Amino acid sequence: MTRIVRILERPIRLQGAVANAVVDFSRHTVSLVAVIAEPAGGGAPVAGVAFNSIGRFAQSGILRDRLIPRVLAARPDTLLDDAGLIDPAKVAACAMTDEKPGGHGDRAGAVAALELACWDLNAKLAGEPAYATIARHFGRTPATRVPVYAAGGYYYPSDGGVERLRAEMHGYLDAGYDAVKMKIGGASMADDLARVAAVIDVVGDGSRVAVDANGRFDTATAVGWAQALAPYGLRWYEEPGDPLDFELNAAVTAGYDGAVATGENLFSAADATNLVRYGGMRLGRDVFQMDAGLSYGLTEYVRMLAVLEDHGFDRRCAMPHGGHLINLHIVAALGLGGCESYPGVFAPFGGYSADCVLADGMISPGETPGFGLERKAGLAESIAELLG
């Protein structure tokens, strides 16, 4: 019988000083979690490792004081599937003992880190990459390559102006990306539109450029920006307003012919249901960016996908937020529309490992067992320190 023997957590500081229209990431942290188990057949303990994605602070207190003690106190057999392996869904349910529904907040990311570490653990026990384990569990055939875009265009303390932005985008193209995303809302509309025009000039076409307001705008401003952006023919206009203001999102989609993307700050299937009911999301056009690492893990994320499909959306309209290895494996496993990448920001978590081959805007996950986090430069050192 596989048995969890230890669970470790450590907050890791993000490197670099970048900002979007709402958040200065220079003080942000991420919870790195290891679930350590003894294999059923004996042998050395195996550590499954994951984190709570990027964009929320570490949840050390929630994990230390509530979630981890519940899992460690559980009878080991209650956390197993029929094959005797750790069941990530049962671990997540155990961690949520005595927690009220709703009011998700940071709890959603804390549970996700635990749950995703169990997927990494099971893949390592099977000796295969996580995308293979996940695809088999959900009865799917994994993709060998997935579309990817470079997310950048942040605001920097010493910005360097449009020329620095142009150089950044040239670097993404040189690396093999053919689509990019940039931030808006942190400068005047005139300055930001000049930035958008500069990026389009570098990339070659507006359909290869997405813009992200990070929830900054009220309804009038969001609609005004939609009107200003319409002539550019952008890939999408992301999170124009508060993620739970579905009326605002519907007002934008009602008057904007281009695609709108949102969902990264929705943490449950119930949230996703409300978005498709009331947010004005359009079949075949708009993009859903829910992130398993922010929303209780893969188990809840798959429930979100079911909500989309039940309402007529193709799962390829799902392109998770969070440009890191965990989501790359999830996209490949579940047949989603593509994956974000952070090639130049949010180290040590952002971006992919050297064995993930990028060419012509497509990337292949590595074949390292699990999510391959130990192959990621910078992150490998943090994992080694966590495991001691």
Side-chain angles (χ1 to χ4, degrees):
M1 178 175 67
T2 308
R3 185 170 68 92
I4 295 174
V5 293
R6 283 195 300 161
I7 302 176
L8 307 173
E9 184 274 345
R10 182 183 179 191
I12 306 295
R13 186 89 169 252
L14 292 178
Q15 298 169 14
V18 299
N20 60 34
V22 177
V23 176
D24 176 352
F25 290 98
S26 63
R27 292 176 292 277
H28 262 237
T29 52
V30 173
S31 278
L32 182 63
V33 170
V35 174
I36 302 167
E38 295 176 345
V46 176
V49 183
F51 51 88
N52 62 290
S53 197
I54 296 166
R56 301 271 162 172
F57 286 94
Q59 293 100 32
S60 304
I62 296 173
L63 284 156
R64 180 188 62 243
D65 298 337
R66 293 176 4 223
L67 306 189
I68 291 174
R70 291 169 186 160
V71 174
L72 292 178
R75 246 185 31 239
D77 61 295
T78 65
L79 302 177
L80 302 182
D81 62 16
D82 293 340
L85 293 171
I86 299 299
D87 188 327
K90 289 181 179 178
V91 171
C94 177
M96 284 290 289
T97 301
D98 297 326
E99 300 279 341
K100 286 187 175 182
H104 308 296
D106 281 350
R107 179 183 71 187
V111 174
L114 278 174
E115 197 257 17
L116 291 167
C118 294
W119 289 104
D120 185 67
L121 172 66
N122 286 343
K124 287 172 176 171
L125 290 171
E128 63 187 6
Y131 72 81
T133 301
I134 294 167
R136 184 172 59 254
H137 180 87
F138 292 104
R140 301 195 62 87
T141 301
T144 57
R145 302 174 73 217
V146 299
V148 67
Y149 66 93
Y154 286 81
Y155 300 98
Y156 292 83
S158 300
D159 191 78
V162 171
E163 289 310 307
R164 192 214 61 80
L165 180 62
R166 291 175 66 93
E168 177 186 352
M169 298 299 163
H170 274 297
Y172 297 147
L173 297 183
D174 292 343
Y177 295 95
D178 65 2
V180 301
K181 186 171 77 177
M182 60 173 292
K183 301 301 181 180
I184 61 171
S188 69
M189 179 181 280
D191 287 346
D192 269 341
L193 289 176
R195 295 171 71 247
V196 171
V199 172
I200 292 173
D201 181 59
V202 171
V203 176
D205 192 277
S207 65
R208 295 163 60 192
V209 178
V211 299
D212 183 3
N214 291 105
R216 175 67 182 268
F217 304 140
D218 60 22
T219 300
T221 307
V223 170
W225 261 98
Q227 293 169 348
L229 293 171
Y232 293 98
L234 297 174
R235 192 177 193 206
W236 67 66
Y237 172 22
E238 182 173 329
E239 209 165 40
D242 188 292
L244 291 176
D245 192 340
F246 303 123
E247 185 176 52
L248 180 154
N249 200 76
V252 172
T253 61
Y256 182 62
D257 289 337
V260 167
T262 191
E264 72 178 70
N265 290 300
L266 303 183
F267 302 152
S268 71
D271 288 340
T273 300
N274 284 331
L275 176 59
V276 296
R277 282 177 178 170
Y278 309 118
M281 300 294 278
R282 299 158 295 182
L283 295 173
R285 186 179 311 181
D286 296 320
V287 178
F288 293 86
Q289 298 176 304
M290 289 81 77
D291 180 347
L294 298 178
S295 48
Y296 296 101
L298 185 58
T299 303
E300 185 71 8
Y301 183 77
V302 169
R303 294 187 186 118
M304 293 181 179
L305 292 179
V307 168
L308 302 186
E309 292 180 322
D310 287 347
H311 286 80
F313 290 91
D314 190 298
R315 65 173 50 210
R316 287 172 295 183
C317 71
M319 299 184 69
H321 155 271
H324 51 70
L325 279 163
I326 294 175
N327 279 345
L328 177 60
H329 281 261
I330 290 172
V331 168
L334 299 181
L336 308 184
C339 194
E340 186 170 28
S341 174
Y342 294 142
V345 291
F346 302 137
F349 298 94
Y352 308 131
S353 53
D355 57 337
C356 298
V357 180
L358 171 67
D360 302 322
M362 303 283 286
I363 196 162
S364 301
E367 293 301 309
T368 302
F371 291 121
L373 302 181
E374 294 84 354
R375 296 290 300 273
K376 175 77 170 59
L379 187 53
E381 291 80 358
S382 294
I383 293 171
E385 292 174 4
L386 174 67
L387 297 177

